[in-house]
Amino acid sequence: MGEMADPIQFKDEGNKHFQAGEVDKAIECYTKAIKLCTDKKVLAVVYRNRSAYTCILLCSPTAIDVDAADVKALFRRCQALEKLGKLDMAFKDVQRCSTIEPKNKTFLETLRRLGAEIQAKLKTTFSTDSRVQNMFDILLDEEMDKDKKEMAANNLVVLAREEAGAERIFQNNGVPLLLDLLETGKVEMVLAAIRTFAGMCTGHKARVRGREDRELCSIMAVDNEDIALATCDLFQCINDSLTGGDRRFYGKEEALVLDASKDLKSILMALLEMVASKKVSGHGRDQALNLLTRNVPRKDKKDPDHSKSLFTIDHGLKKILKVCGQIPDLPDQLPMTENTQLIASVLLDKLWDDLRCDPERDNYREVCDENIHAINALSGLLQGPFEVGNQLVGRQGIMEMMVALCGSEREVDQMVAVEALIHSSTKMSRASFIITNGVSLLKDIYKKTKNDKIKIRALVGLCKLGSAGGDDYSMRQFAEGSTEKLAKQCRKWLCNSAMDTRTRKWAIEGLAYLTQDADVKDDFVEDDPAMKAMFDLAKSKDKTILYAVACTLVNCTNSYEKKDIMPELVQLAKFSKQHVPEQHPKDKKDFIQKRVKRMLKGGVISALTVMVKADNVLLTDQTKEMLARVFLALADDPKDRGTICAHGGGKALIPLALEGSAIGKVRAAHALAKIAAVSNPEIAFPGERIYEVVRPLVSLLHPERDGVQNYEALLSLTNLAGLNDKLRVKILKEKALPEIEQYMFEDHDHIRQAATECMCNLVTCKEVQDRYLEDGNDRLKLLVLMCVEDNEKLQRAAAGGLAMLTAAQKKLCTKMTLVTLQWMEILQRLILHDQPQIQHRGLVIVYNMLNSDDNELAKKLMESEILEILTVIGKAMDNPKRQIVIDVARTCLVKAMDLGLIKPFTTP
C-alpha cells in the first residue's frame, strides 16, 4: 500500500476494506488519500467516506467546507446531530439539503419530522418555564389584584401535576414562595399551596425530603374541611412516594432516598398525636384517622410485615379509644364531626383484623380492657372489632349497668346507655336479656322524655329488639302489628326535615332492623316521601348513614344471603320437634319484584351511584358488598336494566366489581354481566370505562362460579367482543380464551352455545387463529362437529366461526377436511339448511375452500353433490328473504368457472 502515490487508488483500496468490514484499514487508506489529493471534488468524496467510520461531526464539516453542496455529507451530519439531541442544528442541515435537492422525499420527510419535534419540545420546555415564571411574578407582586393572585396560585396547582412543571417550580425556588402562601392564612391561597406541594411530591422521593410533619399536621388541624382534605391528600402523596405506592419512574432521583422507614415512622407518630389532641378540629381528626385506616393495616394479608399495625396499637390504641369514648353533648370534649367516632371504630376493626396470632390479640384486648372508662367507648368497640367489644359486654354486671343507666335522671346517661344497648344486643341471648329486663324501660324513656335525640334512640332500641328474630316469621319478638307501628314512627321521623341529619339518621337505623319484616318492607316502599327522604340523606355529607341505608335496601330487595333448605331436612326437623324457620308470605318472588319496581321508580339508582362515589373509609368492604347485592337484585329483570344504565348504574358497578370483599366483587361482576349481556355496552359504559368491565366479567368464568354466572358472563363477553378489535385484544389479555374454550365442551346446552358464540366473535384475532392452526388439538374438529348439533343457535355460531376462520387462514380449509371423515356430509347439511343464516354461513365456507389455493380440494368439491346444490340455489329466482344465500351460491359457481372446474351456464 505504501507504493501507491495516487489518491484515487487509496480511495478505491479504502472502499474494498470498507466492503470487507476492515474498518481500521479503510480509515488508514482514506487518511492517506486525503493527504495526497488535490482535486476538491475527489477530496470531498474521501472525507465523506471516512466520516462513516470516524466521528461524523469532525469529518463531515471538513467535507462540507471543501464542497458546500455535498448533500450526503450534510445529511449524515444531520443524522448525527439528531441522535445527539441537537434538533435545531440538524434541522438547519436538512434544510440546506432540501434546498439543493427540493424533490428528494427523504429530505422533505426528515425536514417535516424534525420541525414537528422541535415545536413539541419548545411547547413543553419554554411554555412551561414561561408559565411558571409568570405565576411567580404575579404572586410576588405585592400590588397585584387579589383575584389575579388566586388565579395564579391555582394555575401553579395545574402546572405541578405535570412533571415538567413540578420540576420547574422546585428548581426556581418555589418552595419558599409556597410556604409564604401558607402563612397568608387565606383559604384559597393555602389550598393552592397545599395542592401544588401534592403535585410536586407525587412519586418523587427526593422532593419529599425536608418536609416538617408537625407543621403539615398543624395545617390539617385547621377547622376547615377543604384544607383538612387537601392536606390529607398531600400526606397520602408523600406516603405513596416513600412506600413505592406510586410506581412511575422519575429518573436518578429514585436512588436519593434509600431508607424511608424513619420518614414513615415520623408521619405515623405525627398522625397519632393528632388523634386525641384538643387542638385538632373535627375535620382534621377525621382525616388523620382516614390516613391511618388507609395506610397502617396491610392491604394484602399475605404480606408478612404488619409492624405498622403493632406500632399503632402500642402508641395509639388508647388515643383511638379515647375518641370512641367522647360524648359530644358533654362539655370539654374533643372536637368531632358526625363521622369521627365511626371512622375510629372502622380503624379499630381494621387493626384487629391485621393481627396474626393470639398473643397479639390478647395484648389488644388487654389495652382495651384497661382503657374502657366509658360505656360510649364500648359502643365504639361494638361497631368496630365486635369480638373484643362482645367479650367486654359479656362480663358480669355490664349489661345490668347499661339497663340501670337507662333509668338515670341525666339525659346524657340515658342517651349513651340506649346507644350501648342497641349495639350490644346483636346476639340473640343478649336481645332476650334486654327484652326481659329493658323493653319496658325503653318504652318509658320513649314516652316520657322530651329530648328528641333520646326519644329516637329509644325507638331504635325497640326496633332492634323487635327484629331480633330476623326474617323468621315464626320468631316475632313483639305482638302482631307492633313492628309496623315502630316502622311508621321511624318513617315519620325520617320525613321530618326540621330535625338535624344526625337524629334522622337514627330513623334509618331503626328501619334497617325493622325491614327484616316483610310487612314493614311493603309499607316502606309504598311510602314515597319516606323513601325519597332516605335517598336524599344517602347523598348527604354524613357518611355514617351509608351502612344503615345499604342494610335497608338489602332487606327490601331480599338480596341477603339465604341458604336453600332441603324439604327432607324440614320434615326431619319437624319430626324431631326442632324449630323450622318460616318464610313470610310477602317475601315471595312476586312481592319482591313489586318492591324492586317501586324502588327503581323512586330513584334508588341515583342514590346508589352517589353512595358508591363516597371517597371515605366508611364505605367499608361490607357496605360495598351490600350495595353490590342490591344492584344485582335490581338488575334481575332485563326490562329494568335500561333504567339502571340511564341513571349511571353501569358506571357505579365497576369500582364495586374491582374492589371490596370477594363475595361483593362477584355480585357486582354478575350485575355487570346482566347489564352488558342485553344492553349496548358503549351506552352502558361510555368512554374508556368499557375496557374496565372486561376483567370482572372474565372473573365470572372461574369454575367455582355457578352456571348462571358463567352463562351471563359469556353472553356479555360475546357482546363486547363484537364491538371492536381493541376490546377483543383486552379479553385475550385477561386470559379468557382457555376458559371460553373449556366451556365449549360443557354439557349444559346454553353455556356451550354462549361459549361458542363468544369464540365466533373472537376468531378475527390473529392469536385465536394461530391456536386453530396448531396441531395436536381438537379445536377445529369441535367446531366442525358442532355444525350438525340439534341446537340451531349453536349450529349458527359454530358455522359462523368456521366461515371467518377459513376466510382468514386458507390452511384451515385443508385442515378442516382432515379432522373428520364426515366433513363433506356436514358441509352439505349446512348448505341445505332451512335457516337462511346457517345456510349462508355454509356457503361462505364452500367459497373459502374454492378460494384456498388448494386445487385438489376445489376439484373434490365440484365433483361432489355440492355442485348440484349450488346450481339449484344459484338458479333460484331473486328473493329478498334469501337473496344473500342466492348471491353467495352464484359467487361460488363463478369462482368454480374461473378455476376451470365447470363450464358457464345460462340463468333463466
Side-chain angles (χ1 to χ4, degrees), residues 435-450:
I435 288 169
T436 306
N437 299 279
V439 170
S440 58
L441 197 57
L442 287 173
K443 286 181 179 178
D444 285 342
I445 293 172
Y446 176 71
K447 290 176 182 177
K448 294 177 181 178
T449 185
K450 293 180 181 179

Side-chain angles (χ1 to χ4, degrees), residues 541-819:
K541 288 185 178 181
D542 185 354
K543 301 306 175 187
T544 60
I545 207 166
L546 294 177
Y547 186 80
V549 174
C551 283
T552 306
L553 295 175
V554 165
N555 290 338
C556 289
T557 55
N558 281 51
S559 51
Y560 41 77
E561 200 72 47
K562 191 155 187 174
K563 294 181 180 179
D564 293 328
I565 301 174
M566 294 175 62
E568 293 83 357
L569 290 178
V570 173
Q571 294 299 322
L572 184 62
K574 287 181 178 178
F575 179 76
S576 58
K577 296 183 180 179
Q578 296 294 317
H579 172 70
V580 179
E582 293 181 21
Q583 185 186 38
H584 195 290
K586 290 185 178 179
D587 271 333
K588 293 181 179 176
K589 191 172 182 179
D590 54 340
F591 283 95
I592 297 171
Q593 288 174 342
K594 287 178 183 176
R595 289 199 290 269
V596 166
K597 301 288 183 187
R598 291 283 303 181
M599 290 169 71
L600 285 168
K601 189 177 178 181
V604 65
I605 299 298
S606 60
L608 287 170
T609 54
V610 173
M611 291 168 72
V612 170
K613 291 176 185 175
D615 183 19
N616 195 292
V617 294
L618 295 180
L619 187 63
T620 59
D621 288 349
Q622 191 175 1
T623 306
K624 290 178 184 176
E625 180 183 323
M626 289 193 290
L627 295 178
R629 288 178 181 278
V630 174
F631 267 119
L632 182 57
L634 296 173
D636 188 56
D637 188 345
K639 295 176 182 177
D640 296 329
R641 295 171 195 172
T643 305
I644 294 172
C645 293
H647 290 87
K651 293 181 286 185
L653 273 166
I654 295 172
L656 293 177
L658 295 173
E659 298 176 359
S661 67
I663 295 174
K665 289 191 286 188
V666 171
R667 296 290 183 273
H670 193 186
L672 279 174
K674 285 180 177 290
I675 292 170
V678 299
S679 308
N680 181 345
E682 292 174 310
I683 296 174
F685 316 105
E688 293 298 310
R689 288 189 185 90
I690 194 169
Y691 300 101
E692 298 177 40
V693 177
V694 175
R695 181 173 296 173
L697 295 178
V698 172
S699 71
L700 292 179
L701 299 180
H702 195 279
E704 290 184 1
R705 307 289 167 256
D706 62 46
V708 175
Q709 291 169 345
N710 298 153
Y711 175 67
E712 292 186 327
L714 288 166
L715 288 182
S716 54
L717 287 171
T718 303
N719 207 359
L720 291 173
L723 290 177
N724 56 56
D725 283 333
K726 195 174 176 182
L727 272 168
R728 287 189 280 271
V729 170
K730 176 68 175 173
I731 292 170
L732 297 181
K733 281 185 177 178
E734 294 295 338
K735 301 179 181 179
L737 197 55
E739 303 286 356
I740 296 168
E741 286 180 339
Q742 177 186 333
Y743 286 115
M744 289 175 69
F745 290 91
E746 180 69 37
D747 290 334
H748 197 287
D749 286 344
H750 290 324
I751 294 177
R752 190 154 49 119
Q753 172 199 320
T756 308
E757 288 173 348
C758 190
M759 184 61 72
C760 179
N761 281 355
L762 289 172
V763 293
T764 55
C765 291
K766 183 70 167 55
E767 183 181 334
V768 180
Q769 295 166 15
D770 290 343
R771 289 173 76 95
Y772 278 89
L773 284 167
E774 291 172 2
D775 294 326
N777 63 73
D778 292 330
R779 292 188 182 96
L780 188 63
K781 182 178 180 179
L782 178 66
L783 270 185
V784 174
L785 295 178
M786 280 180 173
C787 292
V788 289
E789 290 279 348
D790 293 333
N791 184 338
E792 288 187 352
K793 290 182 179 179
L794 181 60
Q795 273 186 290
R796 185 174 62 202
L802 276 177
M804 286 189 280
L805 282 169
T806 51
Q809 298 289 342
K810 292 182 178 181
K811 291 180 181 179
L812 288 174
C813 295
T814 305
K815 186 177 179 181
M816 180 178 160
T817 65
L818 303 175
V819 295

Side-chain angles (χ1 to χ4, degrees), residues 122 205 434 456 502 513 781 849 863 879 881:
L122 286 171
K205 291 183 180 180
I434 300 168
I456 192 134
R502 191 169 181 177
Y513 298 124
K781 182 178 180 179
M849 288 180 157
E863 289 175 352
N879 182 347
K881 292 182 180 179

Side-chain angles (χ1 to χ4, degrees), residues 339-369:
N339 297 329
T340 305
Q341 289 182 306
L342 193 52
I343 297 173
S345 294
V346 171
L347 176 55
L348 288 172
D349 189 40
K350 287 187 177 290
L351 290 172
W352 172 259
D353 286 342
D354 205 38
L355 299 179
R356 297 172 58 190
C357 59
D358 288 341
E360 292 174 355
R361 295 187 184 94
D362 290 341
N363 176 58
Y364 188 104
R365 291 191 191 97
E366 286 173 11
V367 175
C368 292
D369 191 16

Side-chain angles (χ1 to χ4, degrees), residues 519-549:
D519 289 318
V520 175
K521 299 176 196 180
D522 266 17
D523 292 342
F524 177 67
V525 297
E526 292 293 330
D527 190 342
D528 288 333
M531 200 157 51
K532 186 178 182 303
M534 186 178 77
F535 294 158
D536 289 342
L537 283 175
K539 300 174 188 177
S540 68
K541 288 185 178 181
D542 185 354
K543 301 306 175 187
T544 60
I545 207 166
L546 294 177
Y547 186 80
V549 174

Side-chain angles (χ1 to χ4, degrees), residues 162-230:
E162 301 171 4
E163 178 54 23
E167 185 61 24
R168 295 315 304 165
I169 296 169
F170 192 74
Q171 295 295 340
N172 289 359
N173 293 319
V175 174
L177 176 64
L178 294 172
L179 291 174
D180 289 341
L181 291 180
L182 291 175
E183 294 296 327
T184 63
K186 298 175 182 177
V187 174
E188 291 300 325
M189 292 293 190
V190 172
L191 284 172
I194 294 169
R195 289 165 181 164
T196 305
F197 272 128
M200 291 167 60
C201 292
T202 299
H204 206 295
K205 291 183 180 180
R207 294 187 196 134
V208 167
R209 298 301 295 267
R211 74 197 182 281
E212 288 291 338
D213 296 327
R214 294 185 187 280
E215 288 185 14
L216 288 178
C217 288
S218 66
I219 296 169
M220 192 161 73
V222 173
D223 190 15
N224 183 292
E225 186 175 4
D226 292 332
I227 291 176
L229 184 58

Side-chain angles (χ1 to χ4, degrees), residues 110-140:
T110 306
L111 189 68
R112 184 199 63 75
R113 179 170 53 77
L114 286 176
E117 288 180 11
I118 289 169
Q119 289 297 322
K121 189 175 180 180
L122 286 171
K123 186 176 180 181
T124 56
T125 305
F126 295 109
S127 177
T128 300
D129 282 355
S130 62
R131 285 160 66 199
V132 169
Q133 191 58 51
N134 187 31
M135 298 306 110
F136 279 4
D137 292 341
I138 293 171
L139 291 169
L140 292 170

Side-chain angles (χ1 to χ4, degrees), residues 282-305:
H283 296 300
R285 202 178 319 281
D286 282 1
Q287 298 309 328
L289 289 166
N290 278 334
L291 284 166
L292 291 169
T293 306
R294 287 177 195 158
N295 300 300
V296 170
R298 292 169 295 168
K299 291 180 173 62
D300 183 0
K301 291 293 187 282
K302 293 179 182 178
D303 182 1
D305 183 16

